[in-house]
Amino acid sequence: MPGRGPALPSGPPPRGADRTRGGRIFACGAAAGLLGDLLVGDPRTGHPVAAFGRAAAAVEGVLWRDDRARGALHTLVCAGGATAAGLLAARAVRRSPAAATALTAAATWAVVGGTTLGREARAVRAALEAGDVEAARARLPHLCGRDPQALDADGIARAVVESVAENTSDAVVGALVWGAVAGVPGLLGFRAVNTLDAMVGHRSPRHLRYGWASARLDDVAGWPGARLTAVLAALAGPDPRGAVRAWRADAAGHPSPNAGPVEASFAGALGVRLGGTLAYGGRVEHRPVLNGGGRAVESADIERAVRLSRRVGTLSLVVCAGARLAAGALGRGRAATGRGRPA
């Protein structure tokens, strides 16, 4: 009929619009979550990751056998359950951008741990600079699983810098990478996998077979975040060329495919020497030296490592949020181009 205007679109929004909205939700939510971590840190009691750890330990108590298949089932139940919970929560709030952003913020706060990492590292540094090596030894297990009694003051400082480097990837960057890829399920799933690796992925007699699946899955999940961490440490550190040189020369010799690039890049960026002999989980390991031309680690280098970790975490938010927003814009442009074509 004459006078009728063009038909208005009906039905759900196009997929490109959903991707654009999802990018904004992740960017705002992740930024709010990191800000919450900066302001609040981890609570001393009632942390969601601690609750997951207790649940995973209960599952292990039921399933444990000295068998890879049982360990794989444990990984599937725990990591799969956390990812599924994130998926259900995200679906429940998908119609409300405000609720979806709040959920992303809460999940990000729950899975990142940069502030607590820095706080614990600085506590060890304070003890070392006060000359109280015993207090530093007592505090070190809050950061890593090394045998503190086997370490002198310099060894403790080196262990702290290595832990700050590795946990920058595990506790911040890796989570943001998977959050950018898969939203809240990615955030929770990555933290679940990383926590399981810390619980059962080490090579103790009890977990040599049972923890195999968790350790291998953590290697896969941590791969992109570790490389991004190494790149950002080189960019943000005081010696970019040294970071790249140490990464290329020494990372491959590290027993961990993900800790190697991260620790080598931090070592080169800070101009210090990491690696060497350490006691871990009741055994002695002789790891390769990272950045062998660097100097020995001193207690003051702990603060330098913490500051570099903070810069890397901030840059990773920019990179991951920017990549998610760019992917959404690209998807929307393709969708618009497709709708504009004649049938």
Side-chain angles (χ1 to χ4, degrees), residues 14-320:
R15 181 174 297 178
D18 283 345
R19 289 176 178 173
T20 301
R21 187 180 73 165
R24 290 196 297 265
I25 287 171
F26 172 74
C28 295
L34 281 186
L35 180 60
D37 177 65
L38 177 63
L39 297 176
V40 179
D42 295 337
R44 297 188 182 277
T45 59
H47 195 283
V49 175
F52 171 82
R54 291 191 293 270
V59 173
E60 180 184 354
V62 173
L63 292 180
W64 187 88
R65 297 289 186 279
D66 189 16
D67 179 71
R68 283 187 176 183
R70 285 295 189 105
L73 179 59
H74 178 225
T75 304
L76 178 63
V77 169
C78 296
T83 305
L87 181 61
L88 291 174
R91 285 185 174 178
V93 299
R94 68 184 183 275
R95 297 185 182 278
S96 170
T101 301
L103 176 65
T104 302
T108 302
W109 169 81
V111 304
V112 301
T115 295
T116 298
L117 173 65
R119 183 186 301 150
E120 293 297 335
R122 284 167 170 152
V124 176
R125 180 200 173 192
L128 289 175
E129 295 191 343
D132 193 345
V133 177
E134 287 304 318
R137 285 178 177 143
R139 198 83 186 193
L140 186 63
H142 292 234
L143 279 170
C144 61
R146 308 279 176 89
D147 179 6
Q149 300 306 318
L151 299 174
D152 58 11
D154 290 344
I156 293 172
R158 174 169 61 86
V160 171
V161 171
E162 290 172 354
S163 181
V164 167
E166 184 175 1
N167 282 292
T168 300
S169 176
D170 289 343
V172 182
V173 182
L176 292 176
V177 167
W178 282 103
V181 171
V184 171
L187 288 165
L188 300 187
F190 176 80
R191 174 52 60 217
V193 169
N194 189 251
T195 302
L196 289 175
D197 178 62
M199 294 179 67
V200 304
H202 44 84
R203 295 185 176 183
S204 66
R206 176 179 174 85
H207 294 132
L208 184 62
R209 294 184 180 85
Y210 188 82
W212 178 86
S214 292
R216 297 292 76 77
L217 183 58
D218 182 68
D219 287 343
V220 173
W223 195 96
R227 273 71 194 168
L228 179 58
T229 303
V231 169
L232 296 178
L235 293 174
D239 187 357
R241 290 184 179 180
V244 173
R245 182 170 57 250
W247 180 3
R248 294 180 62 183
D250 302 326
H254 196 285
S256 168
N258 295 330
V262 172
E263 292 182 16
S265 187
F266 264 70
L270 297 172
V272 298
R273 186 171 61 251
L274 299 179
T277 302
L278 58 88
Y280 181 85
R283 67 186 187 280
V284 175
E285 291 187 8
H286 301 282
R287 294 184 177 178
V289 173
L290 306 175
N291 193 39
R295 58 175 174 77
V297 178
E298 302 171 353
S299 60
D301 293 313
I302 293 175
E303 180 64 26
R304 297 175 65 226
V306 169
R307 291 180 179 178
L308 178 56
S309 173
R310 180 65 56 81
R311 293 195 296 271
V312 168
T314 301
L315 286 174
S316 69
L317 172 65
V318 174
V319 171
C320 293

